[in-house]
Amino acid sequence: MGNTNNDGGVFTVSADLLYRQITEVFARWGMSAAHAATAARIMVETDLAGIDSHGVGMLPHYQRGFAEGRLDPRAEPAILRDTPAAALIDSRHGIGHVAAEAAMSLAIRKAREGSIGIVAVTGSNHYGAAGWYARMAAEQGCVGLSLTNAPTPFLVPVFGTERALGTNPIGFAAPGADPRRPVLLDMATTTVAYGKVAIARRAGKPLPPGWAIAADGGPETNAAVAAEARALAPLGGDRVHGGHKGYGLALMVEILCATLTGARPGDETGHFFLAIDPGFFRDTQAFEADLEALAARMRANRPSDPAQPVLVPGDPEHDAVHRRRRTGIPLLPALVEEIRAVCSESGAPFLLEDG
Amino acid sequence: MGNTNNDGGVFTVSADLLYRQITEVFARWGMSAAHAATAARIMVETDLAGIDSHGVGMLPHYQRGFAEGRLDPRAEPAILRDTPAAALIDSRHGIGHVAAEAAMSLAIRKAREGSIGIVAVTGSNHYGAAGWYARMAAEQGCVGLSLTNAPTPFLVPVFGTERALGTNPIGFAAPGADPRRPVLLDMATTTVAYGKVAIARRAGKPLPPGWAIAADGGPETNAAVAAEARALAPLGGDRVHGGHKGYGLALMVEILCATLTGARPGDETGHFFLAIDPGFFRDTQAFEADLEALAARMRANRPSDPAQPVLVPGDPEHDAVHRRRRTGIPLLPALVEEIRAVCSESGAPFLLEDG
């Protein structure tokens, strides 16, 4: 661990080194060691799971939030309201991971003590990947739901032309016999995340209709134009293909995360967490066995292409973790340079030198 | 009220007469007056809201369930487990509406008393439109979520070829200043419900790709073939267009409604209801005002076509209720004949004669 290498222009870095790099930056911002450890661990595990868009790739964004005063690294989350089954936490403009981890922990505790727990968070910032917190519940034997709004508008409502909602993701997890391998759904409510548009632009490829929206409200298939406009279609695309459903789901997430918690639209981020102890509803082992049977039924579905079996949500992430723990986390050269700039701005040592 | 007329081959019937017709049938099955009133009211209000596929149009299906012993009209739902925040109800194979209405009522009571309530239902049958129960929460000032699995398989998982899950819908509602006009999402997790395929077949029109799945797992655009195969694509369609998200959402609904409650796969139906009192999280009026502002922001989005403004989920249903309360509920001649057959089988008087 601790070595980096340069493989075909892509650095690969060990999880351990990446963790140390992130905590060095957070320490320079004045974040407590405990909070830095929480946020860095979540970011690194997100990179291990192959969700490159939501791990260390977000560090430059967080640096801007810190520089512009939107992200307060010294903030201590505060519980504003608390009942046996529900709570509201104020992130106080801290990094989202810290308040979110505290919130899902509390929701899980409430579920274990009284069957279910809902904890919402207001006044927060980007919390990484929605699925991470849902997985957290599953690893402790609970069914978990994790939602967040996102103040940056991307989604254009069906029939509209203007960006109006964030990519407002849904994370959901349920534990089977192996709590380290839950059914795990982690999805933006847009057809694709913005990163996929940026990748198509770099590759010089056109976009499929249903990904991005043109200025007139129709589909935008020019990746360069779409990457500039940053206007994404809701899951489904247009009205004919069910785009009103993706738009409706994004609105549901907005209501549960922002309207319900009072997070200011277009500025603050809110999160919503639900944990359910399946043992309240039925025998835990029977639940886990039925979940495994359900997943096995999906995987046994005759595939269209024998080389590509039917997956269960979470399979790709699980495989990525296994692979990347061995091979390291690949970082694009552009991202390494961005991390170098973050280190320079914050006064942290740059640890990701080519080995 | 009470008159029917024949307008261009389509009967229109008053809500009152339709209600009496349905309760006459239920009474002949041996359903109690209270349960018949509950189920018939929900069915008629669903027809009033324009959701023709889930109101009286389901009566022939319920008749088959009764005849085949899957639906017990005399069943009394029983609370199996109960805590301050959560409960599990056994529908005992009664009609879904009765257990579902009881379950959401209990969830709302728990929310009012302690901030949130989750009530799941096992051993049930078709409960009509998912959105109806979410709306019920909104009309009482709560945010509501209503999910149900469906034992009849329609949805083909991404990369697969075989039907594996029901259309597993999501209903969500949140109350604004006017609790009779909530934001109301009611969506199947397939791109379209089966009814849309049947309509295209009757019209002799091809299907857009993304609606139905062919035997080889690719898109099926022949409506006649698709109507016969009954294999639907998840919301999003194929992998490129986000179909793995619709599939993941259907699986989430399956887990919460069937795996969590122990409803037998492919046979029994389970439901999942969540009610949240927004007054626990923040001032109720501030929540309602922010919800109205959010809806207004969506409606003010510059439309692609000036003749088709951006809608908020629930707008079409709200407009349909206003219109149909005046003009009556239209019934296709084929459905009128099916209802006549149900009356004949059950011994109920047929009340929908051409006036």
Side-chain angles (χ1 to χ4, degrees):
Chain A
M1 303 285 275
N3 292 318
T4 61
N5 56 63
N6 189 328
D7 176 11
V10 175
F11 283 98
T12 58
V13 53
S14 73
D16 179 60
L17 182 63
L18 189 59
Y19 173 86
R20 283 195 285 125
Q21 176 65 83
I22 297 171
T23 52
E24 286 283 1
V25 171
F26 287 163
R28 292 313 185 286
W29 294 356
M31 196 181 291
S32 73
H35 288 352
T38 297
R41 182 169 57 87
I42 295 170
M43 289 168 69
V44 169
E45 291 188 2
T46 300
D47 276 313
L48 279 172
I51 309 168
D52 297 334
S53 51
H54 285 66
V56 70
M58 289 302 294
L59 189 63
H61 175 78
Y62 302 152
Q63 166 78 30
R64 283 193 296 278
F66 171 53
E68 293 166 10
R70 279 178 283 110
L71 188 158
D72 177 4
R74 296 177 192 271
E76 285 293 331
I79 296 179
L80 297 182
R81 304 195 180 194
D82 201 9
T83 68
L88 176 65
I89 288 179
D90 185 355
S91 171
R92 290 173 161 173
H93 304 111
I95 195 164
H97 311 65
V98 169
E101 202 263 355
M104 186 48 113
S105 295
L106 184 54
I108 294 166
R109 193 154 71 239
K110 289 176 182 300
R112 290 208 164 283
E113 287 169 5
S115 66
I116 62 168
I118 284 180
V119 180
V121 177
T122 191
S124 194
N125 280 294
H126 193 271
Y127 76 175
W132 197 88
Y133 307 95
R135 171 194 287 275
M136 199 179 139
E139 288 184 353
Q140 295 183 54
C142 288
V143 174
L145 182 71
S146 161
L147 313 173
T148 187
N149 76 320
T152 309
F154 278 105
L155 185 151
V156 178
V158 169
F159 300 142
T161 60
E162 300 168 306
R163 294 175 295 152
L165 294 168
T167 55
N168 292 8
I170 297 174
F172 172 82
D178 176 1
R180 299 287 307 178
R181 187 164 188 161
V183 173
L184 173 62
L185 177 68
D186 190 350
M187 55 169 272
T189 49
T190 46
T191 301
V192 293
Y194 177 74
K196 286 217 176 183
V197 175
I199 289 167
R201 174 182 50 181
R202 268 185 241 118
K205 289 187 181 168
L207 303 182
W211 284 26
I213 299 292
D216 68 355
E220 177 60 73
T221 56
N222 182 315
V225 173
E228 181 68 24
R230 307 174 82 86
L232 298 177
L235 173 60
D238 59 14
R239 178 65 177 77
V240 166
H241 295 89
H244 56 299
K245 299 182 179 186
Y247 159 48
L249 290 170
L251 206 53
M252 175 182 83
V253 172
E254 186 78 15
I255 291 167
L256 289 171
C257 296
T259 317
L260 188 67
T261 71
R264 281 192 306 272
D267 175 13
E268 294 177 338
T269 300
H271 321 303
F272 180 94
F273 303 98
L274 164 65
I276 301 173
D277 180 358
F280 165 74
F281 291 93
R282 56 188 300 225
D283 177 74
T284 301
Q285 289 186 324
F287 170 81
E288 292 173 354
D290 280 359
L291 191 82
E292 294 293 344
L294 176 64
R297 213 158 65 234
M298 297 301 126
R299 292 194 184 97
N301 197 291
R302 186 166 53 82
S304 178
D305 170 3
Q308 175 56 70
V310 171
L311 303 176
V312 167
D315 285 349
E317 291 86 345
H318 183 76
D319 294 345
V321 169
H322 265 250
R323 197 171 53 246
R324 289 188 169 185
R325 280 205 192 281
R326 287 198 317 274
T327 63
I329 295 164
L331 300 178
L332 290 173
L335 176 57
V336 174
E337 290 316 303
E338 286 185 70
I339 296 170
R340 191 193 301 272
V342 166
C343 290
S344 169
E345 275 186 70
S346 63
F350 178 66
L351 306 179
L352 308 183
E353 292 294 353
D354 191 3
Chain B
M1 305 287 275
N3 292 319
T4 61
N5 54 62
N6 189 328
D7 176 9
V10 175
F11 283 98
T12 58
V13 53
S14 73
D16 179 60
L17 182 63
L18 189 59
Y19 174 87
R20 285 196 284 126
Q21 176 67 81
I22 297 171
T23 52
E24 286 283 2
V25 170
F26 287 163
R28 289 315 182 288
W29 293 356
M31 196 181 291
S32 73
H35 287 352
T38 296
R41 182 170 57 85
I42 294 171
M43 289 168 70
V44 169
E45 290 187 4
T46 300
D47 276 313
L48 279 172
I51 309 168
D52 296 335
S53 52
H54 285 66
V56 70
M58 290 301 295
L59 190 63
H61 176 77
Y62 302 151
Q63 166 78 30
R64 283 191 297 276
F66 170 54
E68 293 165 9
R70 280 178 283 109
L71 189 157
D72 177 4
R74 296 177 193 270
E76 285 293 332
I79 296 179
L80 297 183
R81 303 195 181 194
D82 201 9
T83 68
L88 176 65
I89 288 178
D90 185 355
S91 172
R92 291 174 160 172
H93 304 111
I95 195 164
H97 310 65
V98 168
E101 202 263 356
M104 185 50 111
S105 294
L106 184 55
I108 294 166
R109 191 153 76 239
K110 289 176 184 299
R112 291 209 163 281
E113 286 169 5
S115 66
I116 62 169
I118 284 179
V119 181
V121 177
T122 192
S124 193
N125 279 293
H126 193 270
Y127 77 174
W132 197 88
Y133 307 95
R135 171 195 288 274
M136 198 179 139
E139 288 185 353
Q140 295 184 55
C142 288
V143 174
L145 181 71
S146 161
L147 312 173
T148 187
N149 76 320
T152 310
F154 278 105
L155 185 151
V156 178
V158 168
F159 300 142
T161 60
E162 301 169 306
R163 295 175 296 152
L165 294 167
T167 56
N168 292 8
I170 297 174
F172 172 82
D178 176 1
R180 299 287 308 177
R181 186 164 189 161
V183 173
L184 173 62
L185 177 68
D186 191 350
M187 54 171 272
T189 50
T190 45
T191 301
V192 293
Y194 177 74
K196 287 216 174 184
V197 174
I199 289 166
R201 173 182 51 180
R202 267 185 240 116
K205 288 187 181 167
L207 302 182
W211 284 26
I213 299 292
D216 68 355
E220 177 60 73
T221 56
N222 182 314
V225 173
E228 180 68 25
R230 307 175 82 87
L232 299 177
L235 173 60
D238 59 15
R239 178 64 178 77
V240 167
H241 295 88
H244 54 300
K245 300 182 179 188
Y247 159 48
L249 289 170
L251 207 51
M252 175 182 84
V253 172
E254 187 77 15
I255 291 167
L256 289 171
C257 296
T259 318
L260 188 67
T261 71
R264 282 193 305 272
D267 175 13
E268 294 178 337
T269 300
H271 321 304
F272 180 93
F273 303 98
L274 164 65
I276 301 172
D277 180 357
F280 164 74
F281 291 93
R282 55 188 302 225
D283 176 75
T284 301
Q285 289 186 324
F287 170 81
E288 291 173 355
D290 280 359
L291 190 83
E292 294 292 345
L294 176 64
R297 213 157 66 236
M298 296 301 126
R299 292 194 183 96
N301 197 292
R302 187 167 52 81
S304 178
D305 170 4
Q308 175 55 71
V310 170
L311 302 177
V312 166
D315 285 350
E317 290 87 345
H318 184 78
D319 294 346
V321 168
H322 264 251
R323 196 170 55 247
R324 290 188 170 186
R325 281 206 191 281
R326 287 198 317 273
T327 63
I329 295 165
L331 300 178
L332 290 172
L335 176 57
V336 174
E337 289 316 303
E338 287 185 68
I339 296 170
R340 190 193 303 271
V342 167
C343 290
S344 168
E345 275 187 69
S346 62
F350 178 65
L351 305 178
L352 308 184
E353 292 294 352
D354 191 4

